[in-house]
């Protein structure tokens, strides 16, 4: 999965470099790095979500899903008020 994320990141970087949509914008290297990390995190999040949906009923995936729910229950309750 890691190599596929790196490949996706490279493709996105190449495409964004050739589109010239942000030609007038200049970004600091650390801002670009943060942007790449956010993009890669969102891609990883999407892959995990896809894995959970495609493998629903698999005991390993169900256990993984339950652990995620347990870890974020407190945060969810705080956000709900």
């Amino acid at each position: 999965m890691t190599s596929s994320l790196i490949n996706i990141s490279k493709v996105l970087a190449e495409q964004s470099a050739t589109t010239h949509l942000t030609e007038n914008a200049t970004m600091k290297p650390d801002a670009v790095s943060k942007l790449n990390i956010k993009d890669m995190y969102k891609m990883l999040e999407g892959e995990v979500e896809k894995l959970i949906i495609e493998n629903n009923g698999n005991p390993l995936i169900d256990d993984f899903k339950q652990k995620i729910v347990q870890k974020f229950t407190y945060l969810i309750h705080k956000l709900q008020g």
Side-chain angles (χ1 to χ4, degrees):
M1 185 189 297
T2 304
S3 64
S4 65
L5 286 177
I6 291 171
N7 291 338
I8 292 170
S9 177
K10 286 179 183 177
V11 168
L12 289 173
E14 289 171 2
Q15 287 179 352
S16 65
T18 59
T19 59
H20 303 294
L21 293 176
T22 57
E23 194 170 305
N24 295 330
T26 56
M27 296 182 73
K28 296 178 183 175
D30 61 327
V32 172
S33 176
K34 288 179 184 176
L35 181 63
N36 287 341
I37 290 170
K38 286 181 182 181
D39 289 339
M40 289 181 70
Y41 178 80
K42 287 307 256 181
M43 286 186 280
L44 176 63
E45 180 183 27
E47 287 298 317
V48 169
E49 185 176 347
K50 180 178 155 187
L51 178 73
I52 289 172
I53 291 170
E54 288 177 350
N55 294 289
N56 194 21
N58 181 323
L60 291 173
I61 299 300
D62 291 343
D63 184 50
F64 175 69
K65 185 170 48 175
Q66 187 60 35
K67 286 180 182 178
I68 291 173
V69 169
Q70 286 175 349
K71 286 185 179 186
F72 287 99
T73 298
Y74 174 76
L75 179 61
I76 292 168
H77 285 297
K78 281 296 212 184
L79 291 174
Q80 289 178 343

